[in-house]
Amino acid sequence: MSAIDWDQPATLIDLDGKAPLIGTIRQCAQHFAIFKAEAKAQARVLLTQPVHREGRRTRTWLLEPDEIAQLVERLRAEG
């Protein structure tokens, strides 16, 4: 997930039907960080540029909760 620029436009969505957050990867990670566990499990990030993920032959447009959590850890590490 380190290849994703913080200023890349993205949309944080959930599978529960709440209104999406349209912003940057940084904003999506910040909002995800304050979600409760049940909301985190339902969250996904829709990217504007697909990224390569290990173990996959093609690039993807969607980040799963564990991948969003990695972005949160990266955000915290960078301060």
Side-chain angles (χ1 to χ4, degrees), residues 8-56:
Q8 180 186 145
T11 303
L12 179 64
I13 59 174
D14 68 40
L15 303 177
D16 201 23
K18 293 183 184 82
L21 168 78
I22 301 170
T24 63
I25 288 289
R26 178 182 294 280
Q27 292 168 328
C28 291
Q30 290 170 331
H31 279 80
F32 181 85
I34 61 173
F35 284 176
K36 294 180 182 178
E38 60 215 24
K40 285 181 179 181
Q42 298 289 323
R44 303 294 185 273
V45 170
L46 180 61
L47 302 169
T48 54
Q49 297 175 359
V51 295
H52 179 283
R53 296 192 319 209
E54 287 195 35
R56 295 211 175 175

mmCIF file of all heavy atoms in Angstrom, residues 8-56:
data_model
loop_
_atom_site.group_PDB
_atom_site.id
_atom_site.type_symbol
_atom_site.label_atom_id
_atom_site.label_comp_id
_atom_site.label_asym_id
_atom_site.label_seq_id
_atom_site.Cartn_x
_atom_site.Cartn_y
_atom_site.Cartn_z
ATOM 1 N N GLN A 8 -4.150 11.063 -3.708
ATOM 2 C CA GLN A 8 -4.968 10.432 -4.749
ATOM 3 C C GLN A 8 -6.443 10.495 -4.347
ATOM 4 O O GLN A 8 -6.796 10.125 -3.236
ATOM 5 C CB GLN A 8 -4.563 8.968 -4.951
ATOM 6 C CG GLN A 8 -5.388 8.289 -6.003
ATOM 7 C CD GLN A 8 -5.106 6.792 -6.139
ATOM 8 O OE1 GLN A 8 -6.022 6.055 -6.410
ATOM 9 N NE2 GLN A 8 -3.883 6.362 -5.944
ATOM 10 N N PRO A 9 -7.312 10.957 -5.228
ATOM 11 C CA PRO A 9 -8.743 10.957 -4.929
ATOM 12 C C PRO A 9 -9.250 9.529 -4.698
ATOM 13 O O PRO A 9 -8.824 8.592 -5.381
ATOM 14 C CB PRO A 9 -9.380 11.566 -6.174
ATOM 15 C CG PRO A 9 -8.285 12.349 -6.821
ATOM 16 C CD PRO A 9 -7.032 11.579 -6.534
ATOM 17 N N ALA A 10 -10.148 9.384 -3.740
ATOM 18 C CA ALA A 10 -10.705 8.069 -3.413
ATOM 19 C C ALA A 10 -12.070 8.266 -2.752
ATOM 20 O O ALA A 10 -12.431 9.372 -2.355
ATOM 21 C CB ALA A 10 -9.772 7.315 -2.475
ATOM 22 N N THR A 11 -12.792 7.164 -2.623
ATOM 23 C CA THR A 11 -14.101 7.185 -1.982
ATOM 24 C C THR A 11 -14.156 6.080 -0.939
ATOM 25 O O THR A 11 -13.914 4.918 -1.258
ATOM 26 C CB THR A 11 -15.224 6.971 -3.016
ATOM 27 O OG1 THR A 11 -15.113 7.973 -4.033
ATOM 28 C CG2 THR A 11 -16.596 7.066 -2.369
ATOM 29 N N LEU A 12 -14.458 6.449 0.298
ATOM 30 C CA LEU A 12 -14.631 5.484 1.375
ATOM 31 C C LEU A 12 -16.106 5.107 1.418
ATOM 32 O O LEU A 12 -16.972 5.976 1.605
ATOM 33 C CB LEU A 12 -14.195 6.090 2.708
ATOM 34 C CG LEU A 12 -14.331 5.222 3.953
ATOM 35 C CD1 LEU A 12 -13.420 4.005 3.875
ATOM 36 C CD2 LEU A 12 -14.015 6.030 5.200
ATOM 37 N N ILE A 13 -16.382 3.830 1.209
ATOM 38 C CA ILE A 13 -17.768 3.348 1.205
ATOM 39 C C ILE A 13 -17.923 2.268 2.264
ATOM 40 O O ILE A 13 -16.946 1.719 2.752
ATOM 41 C CB ILE A 13 -18.162 2.791 -0.183
ATOM 42 C CG1 ILE A 13 -17.229 1.644 -0.580
ATOM 43 C CG2 ILE A 13 -18.167 3.872 -1.233
ATOM 44 C CD1 ILE A 13 -17.615 0.931 -1.856
ATOM 45 N N ASP A 14 -19.150 1.998 2.617
ATOM 46 C CA ASP A 14 -19.404 0.856 3.493
ATOM 47 C C ASP A 14 -20.519 0.022 2.884
ATOM 48 O O ASP A 14 -21.265 0.486 2.028
ATOM 49 C CB ASP A 14 -19.712 1.276 4.929
ATOM 50 C CG ASP A 14 -21.030 2.009 5.074
ATOM 51 O OD1 ASP A 14 -22.010 1.616 4.419
ATOM 52 O OD2 ASP A 14 -21.088 2.965 5.852
ATOM 53 N N LEU A 15 -20.602 -1.193 3.316
ATOM 54 C CA LEU A 15 -21.590 -2.103 2.758
ATOM 55 C C LEU A 15 -22.928 -1.997 3.475
ATOM 56 O O LEU A 15 -23.857 -2.730 3.161
ATOM 57 C CB LEU A 15 -21.059 -3.543 2.824
ATOM 58 C CG LEU A 15 -19.723 -3.761 2.116
ATOM 59 C CD1 LEU A 15 -19.251 -5.189 2.301
ATOM 60 C CD2 LEU A 15 -19.821 -3.409 0.647
ATOM 61 N N ASP A 16 -23.013 -1.066 4.426
ATOM 62 C CA ASP A 16 -24.224 -0.873 5.207
ATOM 63 C C ASP A 16 -25.130 0.194 4.601
ATOM 64 O O ASP A 16 -26.226 0.433 5.087
ATOM 65 C CB ASP A 16 -23.847 -0.510 6.644
ATOM 66 C CG ASP A 16 -24.953 -0.783 7.633
ATOM 67 O OD1 ASP A 16 -25.820 -1.625 7.342
ATOM 68 O OD2 ASP A 16 -24.948 -0.150 8.703
ATOM 69 N N GLY A 17 -24.659 0.888 3.566
ATOM 70 C CA GLY A 17 -25.495 1.856 2.871
ATOM 71 C C GLY A 17 -25.400 3.286 3.351
ATOM 72 O O GLY A 17 -26.190 4.129 2.944
ATOM 73 N N LYS A 18 -24.436 3.601 4.205
ATOM 74 C CA LYS A 18 -24.260 4.988 4.647
ATOM 75 C C LYS A 18 -23.667 5.821 3.510
ATOM 76 O O LYS A 18 -23.108 5.288 2.564
ATOM 77 C CB LYS A 18 -23.350 5.030 5.867
ATOM 78 C CG LYS A 18 -23.961 4.385 7.092
ATOM 79 C CD LYS A 18 -23.046 4.536 8.282
ATOM 80 C CE LYS A 18 -23.600 3.820 9.475
ATOM 81 N NZ LYS A 18 -23.315 2.391 9.475
ATOM 82 N N ALA A 19 -23.782 7.125 3.633
ATOM 83 C CA ALA A 19 -23.248 8.027 2.609
ATOM 84 C C ALA A 19 -21.736 7.864 2.505
ATOM 85 O O ALA A 19 -21.047 7.754 3.522
ATOM 86 C CB ALA A 19 -23.587 9.472 2.966
ATOM 87 N N PRO A 20 -21.184 7.829 1.288
ATOM 88 C CA PRO A 20 -19.736 7.668 1.124
ATOM 89 C C PRO A 20 -18.982 8.950 1.444
ATOM 90 O O PRO A 20 -19.549 10.048 1.414
ATOM 91 C CB PRO A 20 -19.597 7.323 -0.357
ATOM 92 C CG PRO A 20 -20.783 7.941 -0.999
ATOM 93 C CD PRO A 20 -21.889 7.868 0.020
ATOM 94 N N LEU A 21 -17.713 8.799 1.756
ATOM 95 C CA LEU A 21 -16.818 9.935 1.948
ATOM 96 C C LEU A 21 -15.987 10.057 0.683
ATOM 97 O O LEU A 21 -15.256 9.131 0.325
ATOM 98 C CB LEU A 21 -15.885 9.727 3.142
ATOM 99 C CG LEU A 21 -14.738 10.731 3.228
ATOM 100 C CD1 LEU A 21 -15.251 12.050 3.773
ATOM 101 C CD2 LEU A 21 -13.599 10.203 4.033
ATOM 102 N N ILE A 22 -16.124 11.162 0.002
ATOM 103 C CA ILE A 22 -15.346 11.412 -1.207
ATOM 104 C C ILE A 22 -14.257 12.398 -0.836
ATOM 105 O O ILE A 22 -14.532 13.503 -0.370
ATOM 106 C CB ILE A 22 -16.234 11.976 -2.338
ATOM 107 C CG1 ILE A 22 -17.341 10.974 -2.653
ATOM 108 C CG2 ILE A 22 -15.398 12.292 -3.571
ATOM 109 C CD1 ILE A 22 -18.418 11.504 -3.570
ATOM 110 N N GLY A 23 -13.009 11.971 -1.005
ATOM 111 C CA GLY A 23 -11.878 12.817 -0.619
ATOM 112 C C GLY A 23 -10.588 12.225 -1.147
ATOM 113 O O GLY A 23 -10.536 11.702 -2.252
ATOM 114 N N THR A 24 -9.548 12.265 -0.318
ATOM 115 C CA THR A 24 -8.253 11.704 -0.683
ATOM 116 C C THR A 24 -8.026 10.417 0.111
ATOM 117 O O THR A 24 -8.753 10.126 1.064
ATOM 118 C CB THR A 24 -7.120 12.694 -0.358
ATOM 119 O OG1 THR A 24 -7.097 12.906 1.057
ATOM 120 C CG2 THR A 24 -7.296 14.020 -1.097
ATOM 121 N N ILE A 25 -6.996 9.687 -0.291
ATOM 122 C CA ILE A 25 -6.628 8.476 0.452
ATOM 123 C C ILE A 25 -6.365 8.838 1.916
ATOM 124 O O ILE A 25 -6.771 8.117 2.830
ATOM 125 C CB ILE A 25 -5.382 7.813 -0.180
ATOM 126 C CG1 ILE A 25 -5.750 7.164 -1.502
ATOM 127 C CG2 ILE A 25 -4.754 6.808 0.754
ATOM 128 C CD1 ILE A 25 -6.593 5.920 -1.381
ATOM 129 N N ARG A 26 -5.676 9.933 2.160
ATOM 130 C CA ARG A 26 -5.371 10.361 3.536
ATOM 131 C C ARG A 26 -6.668 10.565 4.334
ATOM 132 O O ARG A 26 -6.797 10.089 5.453
ATOM 133 C CB ARG A 26 -4.555 11.652 3.538
ATOM 134 C CG ARG A 26 -4.252 12.166 4.954
ATOM 135 C CD ARG A 26 -3.471 13.471 4.938
ATOM 136 N NE ARG A 26 -2.147 13.328 4.397
ATOM 137 C CZ ARG A 26 -1.106 12.861 5.068
ATOM 138 N NH1 ARG A 26 -1.248 12.488 6.308
ATOM 139 N NH2 ARG A 26 0.075 12.782 4.495
ATOM 140 N N GLN A 27 -7.625 11.268 3.757
ATOM 141 C CA GLN A 27 -8.886 11.509 4.456
ATOM 142 C C GLN A 27 -9.641 10.205 4.715
ATOM 143 O O GLN A 27 -10.224 10.022 5.784
ATOM 144 C CB GLN A 27 -9.746 12.467 3.646
ATOM 145 C CG GLN A 27 -9.182 13.870 3.593
ATOM 146 C CD GLN A 27 -9.878 14.740 2.565
ATOM 147 O OE1 GLN A 27 -10.331 14.257 1.525
ATOM 148 N NE2 GLN A 27 -9.958 16.034 2.857
ATOM 149 N N CYS A 28 -9.610 9.306 3.737
ATOM 150 C CA CYS A 28 -10.276 8.012 3.919
ATOM 151 C C CYS A 28 -9.633 7.233 5.064
ATOM 152 O O CYS A 28 -10.332 6.641 5.886
ATOM 153 C CB CYS A 28 -10.220 7.212 2.622
ATOM 154 S SG CYS A 28 -11.236 7.892 1.289
ATOM 155 N N ALA A 29 -8.307 7.230 5.116
ATOM 156 C CA ALA A 29 -7.599 6.524 6.188
ATOM 157 C C ALA A 29 -7.895 7.161 7.549
ATOM 158 O O ALA A 29 -8.088 6.451 8.543
ATOM 159 C CB ALA A 29 -6.096 6.518 5.915
ATOM 160 N N GLN A 30 -7.940 8.484 7.600
ATOM 161 C CA GLN A 30 -8.234 9.167 8.855
ATOM 162 C C GLN A 30 -9.633 8.817 9.361
ATOM 163 O O GLN A 30 -9.822 8.574 10.549
ATOM 164 C CB GLN A 30 -8.093 10.680 8.688
ATOM 165 C CG GLN A 30 -6.669 11.127 8.509
ATOM 166 C CD GLN A 30 -6.548 12.591 8.100
ATOM 167 O OE1 GLN A 30 -7.435 13.150 7.454
ATOM 168 N NE2 GLN A 30 -5.436 13.209 8.462
ATOM 169 N N HIS A 31 -10.605 8.794 8.482
ATOM 170 C CA HIS A 31 -11.968 8.446 8.879
ATOM 171 C C HIS A 31 -12.072 6.977 9.282
ATOM 172 O O HIS A 31 -12.730 6.646 10.258
ATOM 173 C CB HIS A 31 -12.959 8.773 7.754
ATOM 174 C CG HIS A 31 -13.349 10.203 7.718
ATOM 175 N ND1 HIS A 31 -12.559 11.177 7.151
ATOM 176 C CD2 HIS A 31 -14.444 10.836 8.186
ATOM 177 C CE1 HIS A 31 -13.150 12.351 7.285
ATOM 178 N NE2 HIS A 31 -14.306 12.174 7.898
ATOM 179 N N PHE A 32 -11.408 6.111 8.534
ATOM 180 C CA PHE A 32 -11.415 4.691 8.848
ATOM 181 C C PHE A 32 -10.840 4.449 10.242
ATOM 182 O O PHE A 32 -11.329 3.596 10.988
ATOM 183 C CB PHE A 32 -10.606 3.920 7.797
ATOM 184 C CG PHE A 32 -10.560 2.441 8.020
ATOM 185 C CD1 PHE A 32 -11.577 1.633 7.544
ATOM 186 C CD2 PHE A 32 -9.499 1.854 8.687
ATOM 187 C CE1 PHE A 32 -11.538 0.257 7.735
ATOM 188 C CE2 PHE A 32 -9.444 0.486 8.885
ATOM 189 C CZ PHE A 32 -10.465 -0.311 8.412
ATOM 190 N N ALA A 33 -9.811 5.211 10.612
ATOM 191 C CA ALA A 33 -9.147 5.045 11.909
ATOM 192 C C ALA A 33 -10.092 5.271 13.088
ATOM 193 O O ALA A 33 -9.907 4.666 14.149
ATOM 194 C CB ALA A 33 -7.947 5.984 12.012
ATOM 195 N N ILE A 34 -11.111 6.090 12.916
ATOM 196 C CA ILE A 34 -12.019 6.381 14.035
ATOM 197 C C ILE A 34 -13.287 5.524 14.020
ATOM 198 O O ILE A 34 -14.101 5.623 14.922
ATOM 199 C CB ILE A 34 -12.388 7.884 14.082
ATOM 200 C CG1 ILE A 34 -13.108 8.317 12.810
ATOM 201 C CG2 ILE A 34 -11.161 8.731 14.349
ATOM 202 C CD1 ILE A 34 -13.661 9.733 12.852
ATOM 203 N N PHE A 35 -13.428 4.673 13.004
ATOM 204 C CA PHE A 35 -14.583 3.784 12.936
ATOM 205 C C PHE A 35 -14.538 2.747 14.054
ATOM 206 O O PHE A 35 -13.465 2.336 14.492
ATOM 207 C CB PHE A 35 -14.622 3.019 11.615
ATOM 208 C CG PHE A 35 -15.088 3.810 10.415
ATOM 209 C CD1 PHE A 35 -15.071 3.236 9.170
ATOM 210 C CD2 PHE A 35 -15.547 5.108 10.527
ATOM 211 C CE1 PHE A 35 -15.497 3.920 8.051
ATOM 212 C CE2 PHE A 35 -15.974 5.819 9.427
ATOM 213 C CZ PHE A 35 -15.951 5.225 8.186
ATOM 214 N N LYS A 36 -15.706 2.291 14.466
ATOM 215 C CA LYS A 36 -15.807 1.152 15.374
ATOM 216 C C LYS A 36 -15.524 -0.116 14.578
ATOM 217 O O LYS A 36 -15.578 -0.117 13.345
ATOM 218 C CB LYS A 36 -17.196 1.094 15.993
ATOM 219 C CG LYS A 36 -17.478 2.274 16.905
ATOM 220 C CD LYS A 36 -18.854 2.180 17.500
ATOM 221 C CE LYS A 36 -19.105 3.402 18.375
ATOM 222 N NZ LYS A 36 -20.435 3.402 18.941
ATOM 223 N N ALA A 37 -15.240 -1.203 15.275
ATOM 224 C CA ALA A 37 -14.845 -2.459 14.629
ATOM 225 C C ALA A 37 -15.872 -2.940 13.604
ATOM 226 O O ALA A 37 -15.504 -3.385 12.516
ATOM 227 C CB ALA A 37 -14.600 -3.531 15.682
ATOM 228 N N GLU A 38 -17.151 -2.841 13.930
ATOM 229 C CA GLU A 38 -18.178 -3.315 12.996
ATOM 230 C C GLU A 38 -18.233 -2.465 11.732
ATOM 231 O O GLU A 38 -18.456 -2.971 10.639
ATOM 232 C CB GLU A 38 -19.541 -3.359 13.668
ATOM 233 C CG GLU A 38 -19.996 -1.999 14.173
ATOM 234 C CD GLU A 38 -20.784 -2.056 15.458
ATOM 235 O OE1 GLU A 38 -20.631 -3.010 16.214
ATOM 236 O OE2 GLU A 38 -21.550 -1.106 15.690
ATOM 237 N N ALA A 39 -18.001 -1.169 11.860
ATOM 238 C CA ALA A 39 -17.981 -0.288 10.694
ATOM 239 C C ALA A 39 -16.725 -0.539 9.850
ATOM 240 O O ALA A 39 -16.783 -0.489 8.621
ATOM 241 C CB ALA A 39 -18.043 1.170 11.119
ATOM 242 N N LYS A 40 -15.597 -0.823 10.511
ATOM 243 C CA LYS A 40 -14.363 -1.123 9.783
ATOM 244 C C LYS A 40 -14.532 -2.373 8.928
ATOM 245 O O LYS A 40 -14.033 -2.442 7.807
ATOM 246 C CB LYS A 40 -13.198 -1.306 10.746
ATOM 247 C CG LYS A 40 -12.690 -0.013 11.332
ATOM 248 C CD LYS A 40 -11.517 -0.244 12.253
ATOM 249 C CE LYS A 40 -11.027 1.086 12.808
ATOM 250 N NZ LYS A 40 -9.878 0.937 13.696
ATOM 251 N N ALA A 41 -15.225 -3.356 9.450
ATOM 252 C CA ALA A 41 -15.426 -4.602 8.708
ATOM 253 C C ALA A 41 -16.260 -4.384 7.451
ATOM 254 O O ALA A 41 -16.140 -5.137 6.482
ATOM 255 C CB ALA A 41 -16.091 -5.640 9.602
ATOM 256 N N GLN A 42 -17.084 -3.353 7.446
ATOM 257 C CA GLN A 42 -17.956 -3.054 6.307
ATOM 258 C C GLN A 42 -17.352 -2.052 5.325
ATOM 259 O O GLN A 42 -17.905 -1.821 4.256
ATOM 260 C CB GLN A 42 -19.292 -2.485 6.811
ATOM 261 C CG GLN A 42 -20.088 -3.431 7.675
ATOM 262 C CD GLN A 42 -20.666 -4.562 6.852
ATOM 263 O OE1 GLN A 42 -21.071 -4.381 5.720
ATOM 264 N NE2 GLN A 42 -20.697 -5.742 7.435
ATOM 265 N N ALA A 43 -16.214 -1.447 5.677
ATOM 266 C CA ALA A 43 -15.637 -0.363 4.877
ATOM 267 C C ALA A 43 -14.819 -0.884 3.702
ATOM 268 O O ALA A 43 -14.178 -1.934 3.776
ATOM 269 C CB ALA A 43 -14.766 0.520 5.757
ATOM 270 N N ARG A 44 -14.842 -0.114 2.625
ATOM 271 C CA ARG A 44 -14.030 -0.360 1.440
ATOM 272 C C ARG A 44 -13.609 1.003 0.892
ATOM 273 O O ARG A 44 -14.294 1.999 1.088
ATOM 274 C CB ARG A 44 -14.807 -1.100 0.341
ATOM 275 C CG ARG A 44 -15.417 -2.432 0.741
ATOM 276 C CD ARG A 44 -14.363 -3.464 1.071
ATOM 277 N NE ARG A 44 -14.923 -4.779 1.340
ATOM 278 C CZ ARG A 44 -15.364 -5.212 2.512
ATOM 279 N NH1 ARG A 44 -15.333 -4.421 3.557
ATOM 280 N NH2 ARG A 44 -15.833 -6.439 2.650
ATOM 281 N N VAL A 45 -12.482 1.041 0.204
ATOM 282 C CA VAL A 45 -12.045 2.272 -0.459
ATOM 283 C C VAL A 45 -12.013 2.014 -1.954
ATOM 284 O O VAL A 45 -11.383 1.061 -2.416
ATOM 285 C CB VAL A 45 -10.659 2.741 0.033
ATOM 286 C CG1 VAL A 45 -10.128 3.875 -0.841
ATOM 287 C CG2 VAL A 45 -10.732 3.207 1.479
ATOM 288 N N LEU A 46 -12.718 2.845 -2.679
ATOM 289 C CA LEU A 46 -12.735 2.795 -4.132
ATOM 290 C C LEU A 46 -11.705 3.800 -4.634
ATOM 291 O O LEU A 46 -11.778 4.990 -4.321
ATOM 292 C CB LEU A 46 -14.127 3.152 -4.657
ATOM 293 C CG LEU A 46 -14.314 3.157 -6.159
ATOM 294 C CD1 LEU A 46 -14.049 1.764 -6.735
ATOM 295 C CD2 LEU A 46 -15.706 3.613 -6.513
ATOM 296 N N LEU A 47 -10.726 3.308 -5.385
ATOM 297 C CA LEU A 47 -9.628 4.145 -5.873
ATOM 298 C C LEU A 47 -9.953 4.751 -7.229
ATOM 299 O O LEU A 47 -10.788 4.232 -7.968
ATOM 300 C CB LEU A 47 -8.364 3.297 -6.007
ATOM 301 C CG LEU A 47 -7.891 2.607 -4.735
ATOM 302 C CD1 LEU A 47 -6.791 1.597 -5.062
ATOM 303 C CD2 LEU A 47 -7.407 3.616 -3.723
ATOM 304 N N THR A 48 -9.263 5.836 -7.575
ATOM 305 C CA THR A 48 -9.402 6.425 -8.905
ATOM 306 C C THR A 48 -8.335 5.882 -9.849
ATOM 307 O O THR A 48 -8.449 6.040 -11.056
ATOM 308 C CB THR A 48 -9.298 7.960 -8.856
ATOM 309 O OG1 THR A 48 -8.086 8.319 -8.208
ATOM 310 C CG2 THR A 48 -10.482 8.551 -8.118
ATOM 311 N N GLN A 49 -7.288 5.267 -9.273
ATOM 312 C CA GLN A 49 -6.247 4.610 -10.063
ATOM 313 C C GLN A 49 -6.020 3.232 -9.457
ATOM 314 O O GLN A 49 -5.786 3.121 -8.253
ATOM 315 C CB GLN A 49 -4.945 5.403 -10.014
ATOM 316 C CG GLN A 49 -5.035 6.781 -10.612
ATOM 317 C CD GLN A 49 -3.737 7.554 -10.417
ATOM 318 O OE1 GLN A 49 -2.788 7.074 -9.825
ATOM 319 N NE2 GLN A 49 -3.720 8.766 -10.930
ATOM 320 N N PRO A 50 -6.076 2.186 -10.254
ATOM 321 C CA PRO A 50 -5.893 0.846 -9.693
ATOM 322 C C PRO A 50 -4.464 0.630 -9.213
ATOM 323 O O PRO A 50 -3.533 1.267 -9.702
ATOM 324 C CB PRO A 50 -6.215 -0.074 -10.869
ATOM 325 C CG PRO A 50 -5.913 0.744 -12.079
ATOM 326 C CD PRO A 50 -6.254 2.163 -11.700
ATOM 327 N N VAL A 51 -4.297 -0.251 -8.226
ATOM 328 C CA VAL A 51 -2.977 -0.564 -7.676
ATOM 329 C C VAL A 51 -2.709 -2.059 -7.801
ATOM 330 O O VAL A 51 -3.627 -2.870 -7.808
ATOM 331 C CB VAL A 51 -2.848 -0.136 -6.202
ATOM 332 C CG1 VAL A 51 -2.932 1.361 -6.052
ATOM 333 C CG2 VAL A 51 -3.874 -0.826 -5.339
ATOM 334 N N HIS A 52 -1.442 -2.386 -7.878
ATOM 335 C CA HIS A 52 -1.028 -3.786 -7.923
ATOM 336 C C HIS A 52 -0.960 -4.313 -6.494
ATOM 337 O O HIS A 52 -0.493 -3.630 -5.591
ATOM 338 C CB HIS A 52 0.351 -3.915 -8.578
ATOM 339 C CG HIS A 52 0.818 -5.329 -8.631
ATOM 340 N ND1 HIS A 52 1.323 -5.982 -7.544
ATOM 341 C CD2 HIS A 52 0.835 -6.221 -9.642
ATOM 342 C CE1 HIS A 52 1.638 -7.219 -7.874
ATOM 343 N NE2 HIS A 52 1.356 -7.389 -9.148
ATOM 344 N N ARG A 53 -1.449 -5.535 -6.307
ATOM 345 C CA ARG A 53 -1.362 -6.178 -4.997
ATOM 346 C C ARG A 53 -0.702 -7.532 -5.179
ATOM 347 O O ARG A 53 -0.964 -8.234 -6.161
ATOM 348 C CB ARG A 53 -2.741 -6.344 -4.383
ATOM 349 C CG ARG A 53 -3.370 -5.004 -4.120
ATOM 350 C CD ARG A 53 -4.586 -5.020 -3.267
ATOM 351 N NE ARG A 53 -5.503 -6.098 -3.526
ATOM 352 C CZ ARG A 53 -6.801 -6.028 -3.323
ATOM 353 N NH1 ARG A 53 -7.327 -4.914 -2.890
ATOM 354 N NH2 ARG A 53 -7.584 -7.047 -3.547
ATOM 355 N N GLU A 54 0.162 -7.871 -4.234
ATOM 356 C CA GLU A 54 0.855 -9.160 -4.314
ATOM 357 C C GLU A 54 -0.155 -10.292 -4.316
ATOM 358 O O GLU A 54 -1.173 -10.232 -3.625
ATOM 359 C CB GLU A 54 1.816 -9.299 -3.143
ATOM 360 C CG GLU A 54 3.041 -8.429 -3.290
ATOM 361 C CD GLU A 54 4.133 -8.824 -2.335
ATOM 362 O OE1 GLU A 54 4.287 -10.028 -2.063
ATOM 363 O OE2 GLU A 54 4.811 -7.907 -1.861
ATOM 364 N N GLY A 55 0.148 -11.301 -5.116
ATOM 365 C CA GLY A 55 -0.725 -12.452 -5.199
ATOM 366 C C GLY A 55 -1.849 -12.313 -6.205
ATOM 367 O O GLY A 55 -2.637 -13.233 -6.382
ATOM 368 N N ARG A 56 -1.932 -11.173 -6.854
ATOM 369 C CA ARG A 56 -2.974 -10.954 -7.861
ATOM 370 C C ARG A 56 -2.328 -10.679 -9.209
ATOM 371 O O ARG A 56 -1.316 -9.988 -9.290
ATOM 372 C CB ARG A 56 -3.861 -9.774 -7.480
ATOM 373 C CG ARG A 56 -4.645 -10.041 -6.226
ATOM 374 C CD ARG A 56 -5.936 -9.329 -6.291
ATOM 375 N NE ARG A 56 -6.743 -9.674 -5.139
ATOM 376 C CZ ARG A 56 -7.889 -9.130 -4.892
ATOM 377 N NH1 ARG A 56 -8.363 -8.215 -5.689
ATOM 378 N NH2 ARG A 56 -8.583 -9.495 -3.847
#
